[in-house]
């Protein structure tokens, strides 16, 4: 037992017991249940004082409680990882493992978006085939709505206005984050701060433009209106694909803000800056996904 905590004679880091995986899982579960409660509800509003207040449709308390718990547990977990790195536990072998982990995470995110593109392409390329399916219930009205593209009643967006602006914003942010990444590798901390600050500002600007675009779609009833009553799937997949991308931009912006705070606190060196490198990889992934969204959702099939 005396040798259990002795200085290791290998390149691997054995992580100390941590509560964060369990607590973050519990927090995410609460957040997802809260999302269901918010949108659909689990009990009637008159189910009781406590149940009606927490589980009835439209209640947001459970969702935001889970969201706060998720951010807290994730932040504290990552803080422990930073402490491990500062303590010298991230050996070259461990660093390679961290890189593989980030690459696999990005690969899983790619497949996440592939699912949305799959549905979108199925809708766009085979919409006329639905008209040959035998009528079931109100299917005849739905088939008629989908016999043309865009579906009946849908008013699509002009790709060369706000979507083009957001494309320019993200492409520019990709260059600034690359500049910052090369600067930290060269030990130029001032250039890193400038490049990182510009990237963060561009990320916030992208989110603002997308929020304005969503407001325009909803306010003008472009996707969900009486004329498009049987074409609701278009609006659903549009908001799912672009909305989840916007969520990834928001997460990436927070990622970069944390990197900026660490940089201002004296963190990162030319030799050890994987946290920033991972943020840059993630940001480039977000850029590429948006290029596909812009090309196919807004331009080719818009």
């Amino acid at each position: 037992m005396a040798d259990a905590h002795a200085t290791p004679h290998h390149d691997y880091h054995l992580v100390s017991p941590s509560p964060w995986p369990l607590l973050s899982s519990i927090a995410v579960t609460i957040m997802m249940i809260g999302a269901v409660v918010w949108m659909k509800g689990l009990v009637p509003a008159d189910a009781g004082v406590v149940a009606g207040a927490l589980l009835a449709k439209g209640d947001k308390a459970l969702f935001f409680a889970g969201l706060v718990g998720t951010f807290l547990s994730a932040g504290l977990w990552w803080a422990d990882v930073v402490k491990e790195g500062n303590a010298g536990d991230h050996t070259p072998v461990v660093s390679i493992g961290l890189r593989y982990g980030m690459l696999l995470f990005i690969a899983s995110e790619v497949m996440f978006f592939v699912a949305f593109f799959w549905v979108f392409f199925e809708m766009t390329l085979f919409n006329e085939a639905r008209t040959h399916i035998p009528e079931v219930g109100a299917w005849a009205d739905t088939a008629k709505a989908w016999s043309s593209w865009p579906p009946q009643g849908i008013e699509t967006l002009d790709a060369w206005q706000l979507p083009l602006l957001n494309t320019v914003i993200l492409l520019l942010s990709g260059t600034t984050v690359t500049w910052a990444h090369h600067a930290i590798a060269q030990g130029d901390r001032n250039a890193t701060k400038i490049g990182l600050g510009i990237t963060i500002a561009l990320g916030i600007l992208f989110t603002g433009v997308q929020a304005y675009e969503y407001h325009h779609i909803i306010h003008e009833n472009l996707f969900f209106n009486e004329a498009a009553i049987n074409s609701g799937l278009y609006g659903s997949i549009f908001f799912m694909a672009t909305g989840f991308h916007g969520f990834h931009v928001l997460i990436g912006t927070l990622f970069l803000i944390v990197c900026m705070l660490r940089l201002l606190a004296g963190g990162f060196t030319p030799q050890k800056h994987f946290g920033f490198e991972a943020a840059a990889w993630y940001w480039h992934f977000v850029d590429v996904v948006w290029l596909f969204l812009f090309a196919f959702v807004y331009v080719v099939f818009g």
Side-chain angles (χ1 to χ4, degrees):
M1 293 299 292
D3 294 333
H5 299 286
T7 302
H9 298 287
H10 54 75
D11 290 331
Y12 297 92
H13 171 51
L14 303 179
V15 181
S16 301
S18 171
W20 308 126
L22 176 61
L23 292 179
S24 60
S25 299
I26 293 173
V28 169
T29 301
I30 292 173
M31 183 175 66
M32 291 297 100
I33 294 174
V36 174
V37 170
W38 186 356
M39 292 181 283
K40 294 292 185 180
L42 294 179
V43 300
D46 57 356
V49 178
V50 178
L54 292 177
L55 302 177
K57 181 179 179 180
D59 187 83
K60 307 178 184 69
L62 207 60
F63 173 81
F64 283 106
L67 181 64
V68 170
T70 300
F71 277 119
L72 282 176
S73 56
L76 292 170
W77 189 354
W78 291 329
D80 283 352
V81 175
V82 172
K83 292 176 184 176
E84 293 169 2
N86 293 336
D89 293 328
H90 291 174
T91 63
V93 172
V94 174
S95 296
I96 291 174
L98 291 173
R99 283 169 167 77
Y100 284 159
M102 189 65 193
L103 290 173
L104 290 173
F105 168 69
I106 292 176
S108 71
E109 292 284 87
V110 169
M111 298 311 298
F112 178 78
F113 280 99
V114 164
F116 294 128
F117 281 109
W118 189 296
V119 173
F120 186 79
F121 287 142
E122 196 277 336
M123 291 193 304
T124 57
L125 298 176
F126 304 105
N127 57 299
E128 292 185 8
R130 291 180 175 82
T131 60
H132 303 295
I133 299 176
E135 295 182 14
V136 178
W139 175 252
D141 294 333
T142 304
K144 180 181 178 182
W146 282 92
S147 62
S148 61
W149 185 266
Q152 179 178 300
I154 296 294
E155 296 182 50
T156 57
L157 297 166
D158 186 349
W160 310 111
Q161 294 185 10
L162 293 179
L164 177 61
L165 174 61
N166 261 348
T167 302
V168 174
I169 290 171
L170 271 191
L171 289 177
L172 182 58
S173 72
T175 63
T176 55
V177 77
T178 301
W179 170 33
H181 184 199
H182 281 280
I184 192 64
Q186 298 296 323
D188 189 347
R189 300 181 68 84
N190 288 330
T192 304
K193 293 174 186 176
I194 295 171
L196 195 51
I198 294 173
T199 307
I200 292 169
L202 291 171
I204 295 172
L205 180 60
F206 177 94
T207 301
V209 172
Q210 188 171 45
Y212 178 79
E213 179 184 76
Y214 277 17
H215 172 76
H216 172 69
I217 294 170
I218 296 170
H219 181 72
E220 299 295 333
N221 294 319
L222 299 184
F223 299 163
F224 302 104
N225 53 65
E226 291 187 4
I229 194 168
N230 295 303
S231 310
L233 184 59
Y234 178 91
S236 298
I237 193 61
F238 176 90
F239 282 119
M240 287 291 286
T242 61
F244 266 111
H245 175 268
F247 178 72
H248 281 71
V249 171
L250 182 60
I251 294 298
T253 304
L254 293 174
F255 202 168
L256 293 173
I257 289 173
V258 171
C259 289
M260 175 65 87
L261 294 175
R262 290 182 61 189
L263 188 66
L264 294 175
F268 298 135
T269 66
Q271 294 75 30
K272 285 189 174 291
H273 54 269
F274 175 68
F276 182 82
E277 188 175 358
W281 290 356
Y282 187 84
W283 197 257
H284 290 310
F285 155 72
V286 168
D287 282 356
V288 172
V289 171
W290 176 257
L291 289 178
F292 277 91
L293 285 171
F294 176 72
F296 293 107
V297 175
Y298 288 100
V299 179
V300 177
F301 297 111

